[in-house]
Amino acid sequence: MFEKFNAGARRVVGLAEEEAGALGYSYVDSGHLLLALLRDEDSPAQQALAALGVSLELARARVGRLSEVPVPVHTPFPLSARARKVLELSAEEATKLGSVRIGPQHLLLALVQPNTGQAMGVLQSFRVDGDQVRLQVLAAMTRPVDPRPVLPDWLSKLSLNLSLSAEDGRLGDVVGRRPDIDRVLQVLSRRARNVALLVGDPGVGKTSIAAGLAQAVVRREVPSRFLGRSVLRLDITALFTDPRHHGRFTEVMAELVGDILRSSNLILFLDNALSVVRTREGQAEALAFFRPVFDVPGVSIVAATGSADHRRWERDSGLDRRIQPVPVAEPAPEDVLQILRSARQRLIDHHEVEITDEALVAAARLAHGYLPGHALPGAAIDLLDEASAQVRSGPVAPGTTPRVTEELVTLTAGASAALPVAPRPPVLSPPVPHDPTVWSMS
């Protein structure tokens, strides 16, 4: 049912489940979809409802409570027959308006169809009818609207939106990391110790887990509370070393934290989280600057650190009580090769070379010697990158494409590690039969 929903429509369904749980319902009805549309800021649907004077607070009061015992928000909520009908009608509305994807505006147009139940009754209490809604939605759709979420100033400047990259198909396939992603989601769903801290050696793929999490959110493969969230990557040490902010780290962090406090529907991925940051006021781990946002509703924190930094970390009782370490190990050997096959095309496009299957196997085998202290698959990808750069920088015959072979990867690894790594031994010729008439020492 949700295959044709865009990110905004999926976000609305997730918000509707939150509204149902907060009001004590055990299912999602059309009224909860209306409340979710009122919460979906800057969409044509929310703009249309605001223009008609529909208030979220009053609408929520009129939807009412059916139970005195609130249902936990993480409970999977079934759709009522009327809510399911709304979702089906939204596909028809999208087709009428020539849209391939279903957005929040199509959900609102479906809500004002006959016999959709609770939502229309709430709208009528505001003296709003279906024709008025349709006119306002069409007017809102004709205004230029940026389909991408608008982030506050500092947050947009200092972060990389992994969700947008996932929607645009700019993130490579994330292989073999689903158990790690599920563990992170489990930690983020906890009441206590719900800051997930990825701990692993450089190159092990901590950033890939964040990319996989963004893809899972976009594909709707996460619990309902995380649907529609934007996954943002922040590298705090890069912020600290940026010459543009020299001497202003504390001020910039205050602005950044203020932006996060005013936001919602975010999953923040904080790289190098336990690196020590020194300011005029003293020093602290980078993650400590984000304590004020640990309890912001709708904001979840995924941090990452190297194993060495984690071992050196002097435990702070306040910070330690909020963190749940998630160890990240190297992928299985078969997954490493699959990751290298996925990365091969990006290297080919960049260097304009060919990379053989044997070169991939050699890179996985020799990567630890090439970059001591770095883990697979990152070390192997770096080795292939170096070998590709070497072969491309040499002489190339016209009309030919340089090839990255097993021998080249082996020589590159040996030269970089200052070790005499020899290529695979050649196949020896069969021994010559001994002539008994010839005298020998043997």
Side-chain angles (χ1 to χ4, degrees):
M1 178 179 294
F2 299 104
E3 293 81 5
K4 293 187 177 181
F5 278 41
N6 66 15
R10 290 194 296 267
R11 181 171 58 251
V12 166
V13 175
L15 292 173
E17 291 180 334
E18 289 185 12
E19 290 291 336
L23 293 173
Y25 286 70
S26 58
Y27 57 90
V28 173
D29 206 352
S30 62
H32 307 125
L33 290 170
L34 175 63
L35 297 179
L37 288 167
L38 286 165
R39 287 177 59 184
D40 188 38
E41 295 184 0
D42 297 324
S43 74
Q46 191 270 343
Q47 292 171 9
L49 292 169
L52 293 168
V54 182
S55 160
L56 173 60
E57 291 74 19
L58 290 176
R60 186 178 284 134
R62 291 168 187 175
V63 169
R65 183 191 296 272
L66 294 183
S67 170
E68 293 300 321
V69 181
V71 177
V73 178
H74 62 269
T75 301
F77 290 91
L79 295 169
S80 70
R82 288 175 297 193
R84 188 173 290 276
K85 180 181 179 182
V86 169
L87 301 189
E88 293 170 353
L89 289 173
S90 67
E92 298 178 11
E93 293 292 342
T95 301
K96 290 178 186 176
L97 295 175
S99 178
V100 178
R101 308 281 285 177
I102 299 170
Q105 64 273 23
H106 306 122
L107 290 172
L108 178 55
L109 293 174
L111 276 176
V112 298
Q113 294 283 353
N115 302 320
T116 53
Q118 190 181 39
M120 197 60 222
V122 173
L123 290 173
Q124 287 172 347
S125 71
F126 288 95
R127 300 180 184 276
V128 171
D129 61 34
D131 291 337
Q132 291 174 303
V133 170
R134 179 172 290 276
L135 287 173
Q136 286 293 339
V137 167
L138 294 176
M141 289 175 65
T142 58
R143 291 193 289 269
V145 177
D146 186 353
R148 298 184 173 186
V150 178
L151 297 172
D153 189 39
W154 282 103
L155 196 54
S156 62
K157 287 179 180 177
L158 302 175
S159 67
L160 174 63
N161 195 325
L162 297 178
S163 294
L164 291 183
S165 298
E167 287 184 351
D168 295 343
R170 288 181 280 122
L171 295 179
D173 293 334
V174 178
V175 178
R177 289 304 189 188
R178 188 67 213 194
D180 298 300
I181 295 169
D182 289 341
R183 176 56 180 153
V184 167
L185 290 168
Q186 182 181 351
V187 172
L188 298 183
S189 300
R190 292 173 55 164
R191 180 176 176 275
R193 288 192 182 276
N194 54 7
V195 176
L197 178 65
L198 304 176
V199 181
D201 293 330
V204 77
K206 300 184 289 294
T207 304
S208 294
I209 293 174
L213 177 60
Q215 291 175 339
V217 172
V218 168
R219 294 169 182 167
R220 203 178 166 80
E221 298 170 350
V222 295
S224 60
R225 65 171 56 187
F226 302 113
L227 292 175
R229 294 204 186 187
S230 295
V231 182
L232 307 180
R233 180 187 177 189
L234 284 163
D235 190 337
I236 304 307
T237 55
L239 167 64
F240 179 67
T241 56
D242 191 328
R244 294 174 297 176
H245 309 307
H246 183 67
R248 298 183 56 248
F249 180 81
T250 303
E251 291 82 355
V252 173
M253 280 302 306
E255 294 284 350
L256 179 60
V257 168
D259 279 356
I260 298 171
L261 289 171
R262 292 186 291 271
S263 303
S264 62
N265 288 331
L266 297 178
I267 298 176
L268 298 178
F269 174 64
L270 309 177
D271 211 356
N272 299 310
L274 294 185
S275 298
V276 175
V277 175
R278 293 174 175 82
T279 66
R280 293 189 298 268
E281 292 77 16
Q283 66 181 40
E285 296 86 0
L287 184 58
F289 288 91
F290 289 87
R291 283 188 192 180
V293 306
F294 282 179
D295 296 311
V296 176
V299 176
S300 300
I301 306 292
V302 181
T305 188
S307 301
D309 282 343
H310 188 249
R311 287 191 296 268
R312 287 193 297 265
W313 178 39
E314 296 180 4
R315 298 295 195 272
D316 174 277
S317 58
L319 199 59
D320 189 37
R321 284 198 300 268
R322 303 305 304 271
I323 290 174
Q324 176 59 53
V326 178
V328 181
E330 289 185 332
E334 58 272 17
D335 287 335
V336 171
L337 284 177
Q338 192 172 346
I339 292 169
L340 294 182
R341 292 188 186 101
S342 176
R344 169 164 54 183
Q345 190 57 51
R346 295 195 297 273
L347 293 172
I348 289 173
D349 293 340
H350 178 77
H351 293 286
E352 297 181 350
V353 296
E354 294 180 11
I355 303 176
T356 67
D357 289 340
E358 294 77 13
L360 302 184
V361 175
R365 176 170 56 90
L366 300 171
H368 284 303
Y370 169 69
L371 281 177
H374 284 63
L376 293 171
I381 295 173
D382 283 346
L383 177 54
L384 287 172
D385 191 18
E386 174 69 17
S388 300
Q390 285 190 19
V391 72
R392 189 65 203 179
S393 61
V396 179
T400 64
T401 302
R403 299 180 77 237
V404 177
T405 62
E406 176 188 13
E407 291 74 19
L408 179 62
V409 170
T410 301
L411 293 173
T412 302
S416 300
L419 296 174
V421 181
R424 181 180 296 173
V427 177
L428 299 178
S429 301
V432 178
H434 178 62
D435 186 348
T437 63
V438 178
W439 181 87
S440 71
M441 293 290 294
S442 60

